[in-house]
Amino acid sequence: MYTPEQLLATQKEQVDAFIKLSQKSFAQVEKLVEHNLNTIKSTLEESGERLKEAMNVKDVQELASFSSGLLQPTIEKAVAYNRALYQMSTEASTDASKIAEENIAKLNKSVATAVETMSKNAPAGSESIVALMKSSVSAANNAFDSVSKAAKQAAEATEANLNAAANATIKAASAASAAAAKGGKKVA
């Protein structure tokens, strides 16, 4: 079936795929660490600024105005942070899927070649077994394609739902912030 050279070539392809996946994964971890460090840095800077502003509040009206102004930006930043995390996760998943699909395509080609070679060398009377093997390979490929398409559709639907939820959260925060700002003005 397989010659030693073919086995070595297959192993080399698998090692190359592993290295490629490892490099892509490490790049995603680097992005995540950089994103988290930038978020921490900006949060610390903004917290310091807000603390300075809070120290200058002189009455209840200013306090209400100040506190209502904190909600909206905080929620927007949390949503943006989570969107960035989701994007990084999606990129990592897409990279892994591409590598897996490439390897599965190569494997399918290899199996098809092996079945074809076997069918040419099969003894007389084994046509039904060869046809069954070809049919099984075809059915497995079709099943993989169906599952792959369903997974992609599910990922797209999830992304749309997350975007809708994020937008609804920002809208609700805006409304709450506006209501709080109006309530703070009535207190004075």
Side-chain angles (χ1 to χ4, degrees):
M1 294 279 192
Y2 277 111
T3 66
E5 292 80 20
Q6 289 171 321
L7 286 173
L8 286 173
T10 300
Q11 287 178 343
K12 183 185 179 306
E13 288 175 359
Q14 294 302 311
V15 168
D16 289 345
F18 175 75
I19 291 169
K20 186 176 180 181
L21 183 60
S22 297
Q23 290 169 337
K24 295 272 186 180
S25 297
F26 190 78
Q28 289 298 326
V29 169
E30 284 181 321
K31 282 183 184 179
L32 177 63
V33 169
E34 181 181 355
H35 179 65
N36 283 336
L37 288 174
N38 288 337
T39 299
I40 291 168
K41 181 180 177 184
S42 68
T43 300
L44 287 173
E45 290 170 356
E46 290 169 13
S47 295
E49 292 298 318
R50 297 302 158 259
L51 184 59
K52 288 177 187 176
E53 290 173 13
M55 299 303 282
N56 292 326
V57 170
K58 294 181 178 75
D59 59 27
V60 176
Q61 182 179 358
E62 282 185 37
L63 179 62
S65 176
F66 173 75
S67 61
S68 69
L70 295 176
L71 180 63
Q72 175 82 20
T74 302
I75 290 176
E76 287 176 357
K77 288 176 183 149
V79 168
Y81 176 81
N82 286 318
R83 278 184 177 164
L85 291 181
Y86 180 77
Q87 181 65 31
M88 286 181 233
S89 173
T90 301
E91 286 175 19
S93 177
T94 300
D95 289 344
S97 292
K98 285 180 183 176
I99 292 169
E101 286 173 5
E102 288 171 4
N103 284 335
I104 288 171
K106 289 176 185 176
L107 177 64
N108 286 343
K109 184 179 177 184
S110 177
V111 168
T113 301
V115 169
E116 194 61 36
T117 301
M118 192 170 38
S119 69
K120 290 178 183 176
N121 297 326
S126 62
E127 292 82 16
S128 61
I129 293 175
V130 170
L132 177 65
M133 288 179 69
K134 287 182 179 181
S135 176
S136 297
V137 169
S138 177
N141 287 338
N142 290 337
F144 174 77
D145 289 343
S146 295
V147 169
S148 181
K149 286 177 187 175
K152 286 177 184 178
Q153 289 173 347
E156 289 169 1
T158 300
E159 185 170 0
N161 289 338
L162 286 174
N163 285 333
N167 292 335
T169 301
I170 291 172
K171 186 176 180 180
S174 295
S177 183
K182 285 181 183 178
K185 290 179 183 174
K186 291 179 184 175
V187 171

